[in-house]
Amino acid sequence: RRRPFVTLTYAQSLDGKIAIHQQSEEEKEEEEEEEENGAKQKGPSSNLVLSGPDSLLMTHGLRSIHDAILVGGSTLLVDNPRLSNRLWGSRQHQQQQQQHQPIPVVLDTNLQSVTKLGALRKAKNILVCCSHEAATNVDVSVDDDKNKFTAIPCNTTNDGTLDLRDVLLRLYERGIRSVMVEGGAQVLTSFVTTNNNDDDNDHHHHQPLVDCVCVTISPKLIGQANGIPSIHNIPSIAHPYVNLANNDNGGRFISLGDDCVFLCRQQQ
């Protein structure tokens, strides 16, 4: 197969939430107007600390063994993460440059998030997967290290979102053999609900794009009103992701501090 090994990893609350909605008064007013017009949309999410110190260290350990770490444009804009390994190996190596650092990858179809964040972006030397149209409009004259990024043109689907199969192919062509997908919720859901059907004659075409799942479950409750579910809209119990995440299929629960970590790998 011409795609990297994909690990889906994220932290969620006990009631399955990955983040909370956070809105300003202006955004609340706009949402009320949209609701009146029948076009209510949820506001942006905010980063929520769910992992304890032990499971957070494990997450950075996983980052250290992957070639790339991938998030969506909304996560980049709202959370502004560093997308780096800062904890694993820090005791053995005092200098951070000696730690293995994954390549930051962002899914940003129209380059809106990375452009809006601009020089405030904490993640450096990022690869931004975008549409072919957006890639042709990148200002290559910008020579600011804080603003610099590499645009990777990718195919889009009928609904205008990036084709994840093509995204993975482009990353594979750049020598990336393993990708750690960390969020946000929409990206996680897209990876779960997209089948690896590049070739209808391929006996793997009913397999999901996800090879490994690592979920940290925190003993915290967020609630339905403000919580954003980690993964939603799985079509049915027969979906390949459900089979992958089935404990009878090799899944394990591991205690790390106050957290519980679920780990499962796709059976070959």
Side-chain angles (χ1 to χ4, degrees), residues 1 9 19 23 44 49 79 103 117 123 127 136 145 159 200 221 225 228:
R1 66 184 183 187
T9 178
Q23 294 174 293
V49 179
D79 298 340
I103 300 171
L117 194 57
L127 303 180
T136 59
D145 288 339
D159 61 2
D200 288 339
L221 293 173
I228 300 174

Side-chain angles (χ1 to χ4, degrees), residues 15 18 87 97 118 157 180 230 235 241 251:
D15 53 345
I18 194 174
L87 301 179
Q97 59 265 29
T157 61
M180 185 172 172
S230 54
Y241 178 77

Side-chain angles (χ1 to χ4, degrees), residues 1-44:
R1 66 184 183 187
R2 289 178 57 79
R3 71 165 177 86
F5 184 93
V6 175
T7 299
L8 203 72
T9 178
Y10 56 93
Q12 68 173 44
S13 63
L14 198 58
D15 53 345
K17 302 300 187 292
I18 194 174
I20 59 174
H21 296 295
Q22 188 177 64
Q23 294 174 293
S24 64
E25 291 301 321
E26 180 180 352
E27 289 167 338
K28 289 180 180 178
E29 292 176 0
E30 290 178 354
E31 185 177 271
E32 289 175 358
E33 293 178 0
E34 290 173 349
E35 186 175 13
E36 291 177 358
N37 297 327
K40 180 179 178 181
Q41 295 181 350
K42 294 182 178 179

Side-chain angles (χ1 to χ4, degrees), residues 100-128:
H100 173 74
Q101 297 297 333
I103 300 171
V105 178
V106 177
L107 305 184
D108 193 0
T109 307
N110 299 312
L111 295 178
Q112 292 179 345
S113 296
V114 67
T115 301
K116 187 173 183 179
L117 194 57
L120 296 177
R121 188 182 72 241
K122 294 179 182 178
K124 306 304 179 186
N125 302 316
I126 64 174
L127 303 180
V128 184

